[in-house]
Amino acid sequence: MEGDFASYDELLERAYKLLPRRRSKSTGERFVLPRFEVNITGKRVYIINFKEVAETLNRDPHVLLRFLLKEVALPGVYDEGVAVIQGEVSPQLLNKLLERFFNEYVKCPICESPDTLLVKEKKIMQIKCMACGAISPVKPF
């Protein structure tokens, strides 16, 4: 009777083989952080691909712009897919801020997946991961 059943170790080994392969952090990820395409005219900075970047990050463009404007301490507007910052800001600084926004407000702190939502519950902003289900609070901006 005992011969009809597989051993625990055999069952465990078979279960491990059925699991999907886990992505290692050293190999190429499927998500590539976009970069801002910036035009500077006088004392105005135009981020041409602002809408596309916000859509790639799955964030409202107004939320992303609010973060950037607070960090550079300059006024600006979002109009028809383009962000306009009134003042002098280097493209390198904008892309560093985009990277910081991604790390703090997009990437899941648990599994590092970019598939997240930014939700606000009872005045507390949280990242909700669609991959692992984790909900992590983030500091407001």
Side-chain angles (χ1 to χ4, degrees):
M1 180 146 179
E2 200 173 358
D4 293 343
F5 298 105
S7 73
Y8 174 78
D9 290 333
E10 291 170 348
L11 290 173
L12 190 60
E13 189 63 36
R14 192 167 66 187
Y16 275 129
K17 286 180 182 175
L18 293 174
L19 288 173
R21 292 272 182 237
R22 205 178 149 147
R23 290 187 312 221
S24 70
K25 294 177 185 174
S26 62
T27 61
E29 291 283 329
R30 67 171 176 81
F31 181 82
V32 177
L33 184 64
R35 301 198 46 87
F36 285 135
E37 293 175 18
V38 178
N39 285 345
I40 301 173
T41 306
K43 292 199 178 229
R44 287 191 178 187
V45 176
Y46 297 87
I47 304 174
I48 307 302
N49 64 336
F50 195 78
K51 181 179 180 185
E52 293 82 13
V53 170
E55 286 175 353
T56 302
L57 298 177
N58 195 24
R59 294 295 179 263
D60 181 0
H62 295 94
V63 170
L64 177 56
L65 183 63
R66 188 173 74 207
F67 172 81
L68 290 175
L69 295 177
K70 184 172 181 186
E71 292 298 315
V72 297
L74 292 170
V77 294
Y78 173 72
D79 188 32
E80 296 181 20
V82 177
V84 181
I85 300 174
Q86 298 166 3
E88 295 180 22
V89 184
S90 72
Q92 293 82 10
L93 176 60
L94 289 173
N95 282 306
K96 282 189 189 265
L97 289 173
L98 176 63
E99 195 172 316
R100 201 166 106 213
F101 180 83
F102 173 76
N103 288 327
E104 292 180 17
Y105 298 99
V106 177
K107 183 171 71 170
C108 175
I110 307 302
C111 70
E112 297 188 359
S113 170
D115 301 322
T116 61
L117 298 174
L118 193 60
V119 294
K120 193 170 189 178
E121 291 182 21
K122 299 180 184 175
K123 297 184 179 182
I124 298 173
M125 287 179 53
Q126 299 174 330
I127 292 179
K128 182 175 182 182
C129 183
M130 304 313 287
C132 71
I135 298 175
S136 307
V138 293
K139 61 183 178 186
F141 52 86

